[in-house]
């Protein structure tokens, strides 16, 4: 084997291994978030979701469908220019059979015991205006920059239409969105 062939083989092997060490894109219902808004919406339609044209706008599409045996509203946010999916928010109805603890346990089973739990209280002139408990799971940490995909369970007492929201946040596409927005300045 020539030196060139050996170097090429080593370079090829290193590039494959570095690809495996990179963080993965977040998935929602088995759909990789590393796609455009149009592609993602079409894949969700294939799973029985229906687009809500009245509440969709700019880089946000709202769909309704079934998630974990419940009728939910799903808000999909895309990057400013490329429209790559940055995040998906699953908003449960007020009539949900799930409790915060039940959802927490389901997510803990899937994403593990490592999470951060927070309680934020917003007070306005001595009165509690709203409070939100939330839990963050960091997944697929990128070894190059330390960014992580995130799954966030929120208990929303200030949000009249949804008591619980599960957020799936893709770190790579969220960074792209910030770069696209900043490029205008």
């Amino acid at each position: 084997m020539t030196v060139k062939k050996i170097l090429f083989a080593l370079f090829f092997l290193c590039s494959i291994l570095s690809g495996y060490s990179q963080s993965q894109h977040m998935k929602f219902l088995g759909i990789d978030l590393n796609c455009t808004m149009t592609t993602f919406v079409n894949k969700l339609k294939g799973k029985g979701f229906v687009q809500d044209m009245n509440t969709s706008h700019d880089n946000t599409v709202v769909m309704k469908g079934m998630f974990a045996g419940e009728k939910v509203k799903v808000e999909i946010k895309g990057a400013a220019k490329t429209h790559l999916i940055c995040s998906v928010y699953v908003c449960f109805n007020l009539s949900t059979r799930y409790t915060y603890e039940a959802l927490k346990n389901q997510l803990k089973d899937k994403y593990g015991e490592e999470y951060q739990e927070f309680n934020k209280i917003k007070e306005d002139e001595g009165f509690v205006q709203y409070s939100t408990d939330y839990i963050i799971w960091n997944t697929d940490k990128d070894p190059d920059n330390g960014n992580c995909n995130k799954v966030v369970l929120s208990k929303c007492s200030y949000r009249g239409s949804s008591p619980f929201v599960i957020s799936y946040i893709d770190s790579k596409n969220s960074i792209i969105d910030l770069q696209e927005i900043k490029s205008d300045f």
Side-chain angles (χ1 to χ4, degrees):
M1 235 177 165
T2 67
V3 174
K4 283 184 182 181
K5 286 183 181 179
I6 292 171
L7 288 174
F8 178 77
L10 285 173
F11 176 77
F12 182 71
L13 182 63
C14 288
S15 65
I16 289 173
L17 291 176
S18 70
Y20 283 115
S21 71
Q22 300 295 316
S23 67
Q24 301 295 313
H25 283 278
M26 180 62 70
K27 289 187 179 191
F28 176 72
L29 291 176
I31 305 168
D32 196 329
L33 298 191
N34 192 29
C35 61
T36 64
M37 186 81 76
T38 303
T39 301
F40 191 79
V41 166
N42 286 334
K43 288 181 179 183
L44 276 181
K45 285 179 180 177
K47 293 184 177 273
F49 280 78
V50 177
Q51 187 171 349
D52 184 348
M53 299 303 250
N54 295 328
T55 53
S56 298
H57 56 86
D58 294 332
N59 295 324
T60 304
V61 172
V62 178
M63 300 185 80
K64 294 180 179 179
M66 296 297 288
F67 176 84
E70 296 270 333
K71 289 182 181 179
V72 296
K73 179 176 73 171
V74 175
E75 296 177 12
I76 305 151
K77 183 184 180 310
K81 295 177 183 173
T82 58
H83 304 291
L84 290 172
I85 305 300
C86 298
S87 52
V88 176
Y89 305 98
V90 179
C91 304
F92 287 82
N93 292 315
L94 290 172
S95 61
T96 183
R97 70 177 192 272
Y98 285 106
T99 63
Y100 184 71
E101 285 300 315
L103 289 171
K104 175 181 170 181
N105 288 332
Q106 291 287 338
L107 292 167
K108 195 164 52 169
D109 286 347
K110 182 166 184 177
Y111 296 104
E113 296 284 338
E114 275 191 46
Y115 58 85
Q116 296 173 303
E117 200 159 356
F118 300 91
N119 181 271
K120 297 283 187 189
I121 297 176
K122 170 116 171 96
E123 293 189 26
D124 188 16
E125 297 179 20
F127 296 97
V128 174
Q129 189 175 19
Y130 65 81
S131 65
T132 301
D133 294 335
Y134 64 99
I135 303 168
I136 299 175
W137 283 266
N138 292 323
T139 65
D140 298 320
K141 187 172 185 173
D142 190 328
D144 294 333
N145 59 25
N147 292 329
C148 300
N149 292 331
K150 296 183 183 320
V151 176
V152 181
L153 170 62
S154 304
K155 183 187 336 179
C156 306
S157 61
Y158 64 91
R159 197 171 179 163
S161 63
S162 182
F164 311 115
V165 176
I166 301 175
S167 308
Y168 297 85
I169 303 165
D170 186 286
S171 67
K172 288 182 179 182
N173 291 348
S174 295
I175 290 169
I176 289 170
D177 183 40
L178 289 174
Q179 289 169 344
E180 290 176 1
I181 291 168
K182 287 181 180 180
S183 72
D184 287 344
F185 290 99

